[in-house]
Each structure stands twice: as C-alpha cells, then as structure tokens.
Amino acid sequence: MSAVLPVLATRLSAAAEAAFGTPYDPELRAATKPEFGHYQSNLALRIGNALKQSPREVAARLIENLQVDDLCEKPSIAGPGFINLTLLPSTLAKAVNEPESFTRKGQRVVVDYSQPNVAKQMHVGHLRSTVIGDALCNVLTYVGYDVIRQNHVGDWGTQYGMMIEQLLEEDGTAESLDLEGLQHLYERSRKHFDADGTFADKARLRVVELQSGDPETLASWQHMVDVSLDDFEKVYALLGSNLARQDVVGESAYNDDLPQIVAELNHQGLLTESDGAMCAFLPGFLGRDGSPLPVIVRKSDGGFGYSATDLAAIRHRITTLHADRIVYVVDHRQALHFDMIFTLARTAGWLPEAVPAEHVEFGTVLGPNGKPFKTRAGGTVKLVELLDSAVARADSLLEGRDGVDRTATARAVGIGAVKYADLSSDRGNDYVFDLDRMVAMTGNTGPYLQYAHARLTRLLSKAEASTEVAELKDPAEQRLALLLTGFAATVAQVAETLQPHRLCTYLYDVASALSTFYEQCPVLGSEGTTRASRIALCTATRTVLQDGLGLLGIEAPDAM
Ligand code: ARG
C-alpha cells in the first residue's frame, strides 16, 4: 500500500505557491463525511483570512492552479470554502497494489522496557511496560530503525545485602530458593532490618561486600538474579514477548561507572552536599512547597541511588550503543524522575540535544472497584495467573468450534485480548482490567480483529489467487481501499508519537469497513474482473490486519 495523501498535499501546497506566492501547509485530512469525497482541506479559509479575501474565491483560484486530474475527480468547493478531493477509483486501486516505503533506515533507537525487579513477582505495571514496549519495538523496526532493547531489571541495591545477610543468619543457602522463596526471604529480611539496628549495620556492610565483588556474596546474589530471570522468561514466553536474556542490562551492570558519574558531576560543579547526600539541584524543579527538588546521586550512607544508575545508563546508551533516540516505557509516576534525569544528563553534556529522550508513560491498571489492581488480600496480582485466566476464558469461548486448534487458538485469543485492551486506549489513561470486555467478539477488541482476519482467511481459502485490485465501483469497497492506503502513514505516526492506540483505532476502522464491504459487495458471489478485484482487495485487507496485529505483538490465527 502506498500513500496518496502526501502527494496530494504537495500538489495543493504548490498550487498555493503558484496562486498566492507562499507554499502553505494544506493540512489535508481524511474527509469527515462520505459526501465530501476522500480528503478535505481548509487551506482556502486560512489564506482568505490572512489576505482578507473571500475563502470561496480563494478556493476557486487554488483549484485553477491545482494539477491533480491524473489522481482525482474534479475538485469541488464546499460550505464556506473547503476544498474536497475525491480519488479516481484507478488511483485508489494503484495505491492498494503498490508497496509502501519508509525512511528511518540506519537510525538507532534504544528502548528501555519491561524492567521487573529481582526477587519479586512481575505485576500488572510490568505487563503494561512489556506489552507497550514490544509493540513499539516492532513498529520502530518496521519503519527502518535499528532497535536495541534494554531490559533495565532492578537487580541491585540495599535489599540484596539484607537478603544475603538474613540467609547467613538462618543458615540457609540461596540455591534452595525459588522466586516465591526469595520473595518471602525479602519480607523477613525487611522486617529484621527495620527492627534490629545491629542486623541493619551488617546488611549495609554486606552491600559493600557485594559492590566490591566478594565472591561468595556475589554468588548468592547471582543465584537470586538467575532464579528471577528464569521466572520472568516464563512470563515473556507466555506473552510471546521478544525480550531475550541478552537484552537484560540490569541496574547492576552500571555499578562500576557510578563513582565516576558522581565525580564528573562534582567536577562540573553540579553537585551540592545536603544532609550528607550528594545532590544536583536543577533550575525549575520545585517541590509542592516551592523548595528545590534534589536529584540524589549519592545517598548519605555512601550508596548510589536509582538516579545515578539511570545517568550511567544514558551515558552508556550514547557512547557505547550510539543511540540516535532513547525511549523509556515506564509508568507515569516516574515522569518527574525522567524529566530531571534527562535535564541533568543534558546539562552534564552526556545527552546531546540532537538525541531525543522520551518517557513513554502509561497509566495504572485498575481492579473492578476502580482502584489499583490488587488481590483481595491487598497483595499484587500475579501476572501469570492473570494471563492464565484470560487464556481459560478464551478457551471456553471456543467451545464447539470445528477446525480450530483449541489450545493454540485459546492462547492466541486470550493473550491477544489482554494485549489489545492494554494497547487500544491512550496509554496515559488508567484502565480497568475487565476480562469479559477484553475477550468480547464485538467492539474494539483483540478477538474482534482476530475474527475479522480469520473470516477473511476462510473466504480466501475458497477463492482463486488474485493480487491486482483493478476496479472499485461500490462506495463500500472504495472506503475500504482508501483506509488500506493509510496503513503506512499510521505506522509511521506510531513510530513518531509512540502511541500504539493509533494503530489499534486504525485496524478497528479497517475491520469495520470490511464488515460493511461484506454486506454491500459479494466476493465469491460475483464474477469476472469484479470478483478478481474484490479477492485482491480482501487479500490486501488480510495483509493489513495480519501485519497490524503482528506489529502490536498479537497473533492472527487462521481459524477461530
Ligand atoms: N524497575 C523499575 C520499577 O519496577 C523500573 C525501571 C525503569 N527503567 C529505568 N531505566 N529507570 O519500577
């Protein structure tokens, strides 16, 4: 599919230059109603306003200078001076038949996502980061970026000193613990740490041992990391995530760089000592009470904080990974953290102005009561259990369907439903985790799109192959074709804005137009060129649905 819109926009801009001496942005958009044709522009209204001339007269002069008769029907003027363009059926057909092209070749983007914490279960927040991150990586790859995934797992800090010290006191070994055991160990050591000052001191010393590489301490820690990563990988496999072990570059990876980070910031005069901690105070960052907010790079106990690690990570991403763009998929509560870190990194000269750093923030997953999703006992909901229940729900929907690989399809539909629900609303918003709504076969859901794809697959299995859209007579097939030509532009827009819901909305529009097309235009029931052309249109639609779902990280089963 190639896009016609940019071509028309350029022509309209050229017409404005020829008639009025300036190449305005025509702001050409999809028409709001079918009777306005395919595209509309308010250019004449804007020029009329600027030059104090009648917009309808301006529109007439623009049209005189507009050369589009190779692509469109005669342009028309509507209402106060809108210019309406209607593509020739042959233009639409050609656009559907042509391949698209993208321009991001050779640019490198680093995407920091998923980022679960060692010795803890992954929770729904990590689900969002993983699902959104995977989709964005797919989209960025598709438009030509060289994508580097970085799973910034939380695998470093005081808690490992606590846990290892607790184990020593209990005469336990790290080797005997699974993730659940680790989580309990964490809870015991936390209590102990808070209640017993002597233990707390020992735990702190243990952190120093860990940071300086004491072999036994390091071995216990490594075991905790390995157990956790094995567990995360099970979740990734169930989700069909692209994240691999080699993408894990956890907080610990930056340990050796941290003293250097603090020393350099200090050397640049960017640090102030405050209650024993080393802090950067950046202009414009104030707390609610108006007092300056610190970025704490070294805590008063001498340990390095989350911020120091993120600064080291930025430096690594620029100097070693050669990023042209850096993306962080992390919940919205960390917005201020990233704002401050990016500002500090730019001030220190570690993050060049030419490299955008973007915090792809997302909202909270809510339970049925509208509060952040928790178990009845108030604990975090285990991600695996949630996904398993989605698959079970999808499985019950498939009851009695013939010719369907039940296990694989239930998995594709259940997981797809959860992912689609997460991706389809504006990521900044919170959403309620409602399995019934997620797996519904109607409305803007994953299963609805998967079903549209499966239905097309079945239809095409009964048809002879045809790949050339030749004629588009019916308005319903024209509308479908017009939508298909927007695929590349939509994907490019998602790569720019990092908002996957735009692709979801687009695919939903395609599936809806497809269902109108089915009602108005017989495919297997028609003959000759009409039949061949409609089969080709169905084939192109199937490709768009399949590719679009694929970019979202959602499987498209052939039958369901
Ligand atoms: N592990 C952190 C959490 O669970 C998220 C890390 C985000 N990435 C980063 N580079 N800071 O909240």
Side-chain angles (χ1 to χ4, degrees), residues 63-237:
I63 289 177
E64 269 166 37
N65 285 277
L66 181 61
Q67 282 159 12
V68 289
D69 46 359
D70 54 331
L71 301 171
C72 296
E73 286 165 14
K74 207 177 138 28
S76 63
I77 304 173
F82 289 103
I83 296 176
N84 293 340
L85 298 176
T86 304
L87 297 174
L88 294 168
S90 57
T91 309
L92 264 175
K94 192 160 164 273
V96 174
N97 294 333
E98 262 172 14
E100 81 250 359
S101 62
F102 289 104
T103 51
R104 286 295 180 174
K105 286 272 171 301
Q107 294 219 44
R108 179 167 285 181
V109 59
V110 170
V111 185
D112 179 320
Y113 73 104
S114 192
Q115 320 118 333
N117 300 312
V118 162
K120 288 189 192 154
Q121 299 276 355
M122 283 177 83
H123 57 68
V124 281
H126 300 123
L127 167 79
R128 293 215 71 185
S129 179
T130 309
V131 169
I132 297 170
D134 270 332
L136 291 179
C137 286
N138 293 338
V139 165
L140 291 164
T141 305
Y142 194 84
V143 303
Y145 275 102
D146 173 18
V147 175
I148 300 188
R149 295 168 170 81
Q150 297 278 282
N151 191 353
H152 193 86
V153 297
D155 62 356
W156 207 237
T158 342
Q159 68 266 37
Y160 302 100
M162 270 163 33
M163 291 166 73
I164 294 168
E165 201 56 36
Q166 180 73 22
L167 263 184
L168 287 172
E169 291 214 351
E170 292 173 357
D171 265 339
T173 59
E175 278 67 29
S176 59
L177 294 170
D178 58 7
L179 188 60
E180 193 128 342
L182 279 178
Q183 204 161 353
H184 291 143
L185 172 67
Y186 171 76
E187 284 152 18
R188 288 199 302 284
S189 65
R190 174 92 248 174
K191 272 204 197 110
H192 200 173
F193 186 89
D194 291 340
D196 177 350
T198 325
F199 176 76
D201 287 341
K202 282 203 246 163
R204 286 196 194 96
L205 279 178
R206 187 57 60 190
V207 180
V208 179
E209 301 271 286
L210 177 63
Q211 289 178 340
S212 56
D214 168 60
E216 269 174 54
T217 310
L218 214 52
S220 291
W221 168 81
Q222 187 64 53
H223 180 77
M224 294 180 182
V225 173
D226 290 342
V227 167
S228 308
L229 292 185
D230 284 347
D231 213 79
F232 301 155
E233 267 164 26
K234 282 185 205 143
V235 180
Y236 294 151

Side-chain angles (χ1 to χ4, degrees), residues 8 75 135 184 198 284 286 325 332 351 354 381 422 437 443 445-446 450 473 481 539:
L8 292 178
H184 291 143
T198 325
L286 302 176
R325 184 179 184 185
H332 65 321
L351 181 60
V381 182
D422 196 292
R437 202 185 61 82
T445 68
Q450 286 172 321
K473 285 193 213 135
T539 307

Side-chain angles (χ1 to χ4, degrees), residues 112 115-117 126 152 154 251 306 310 317 328 330 334 337-338:
D112 179 320
Q115 320 118 333
N117 300 312
H126 300 123
H152 193 86
E251 295 178 16
Y306 187 57
D310 264 325
R317 287 163 194 186
Y328 293 78
V330 184
Q334 296 195 31
H337 165 74
F338 285 111

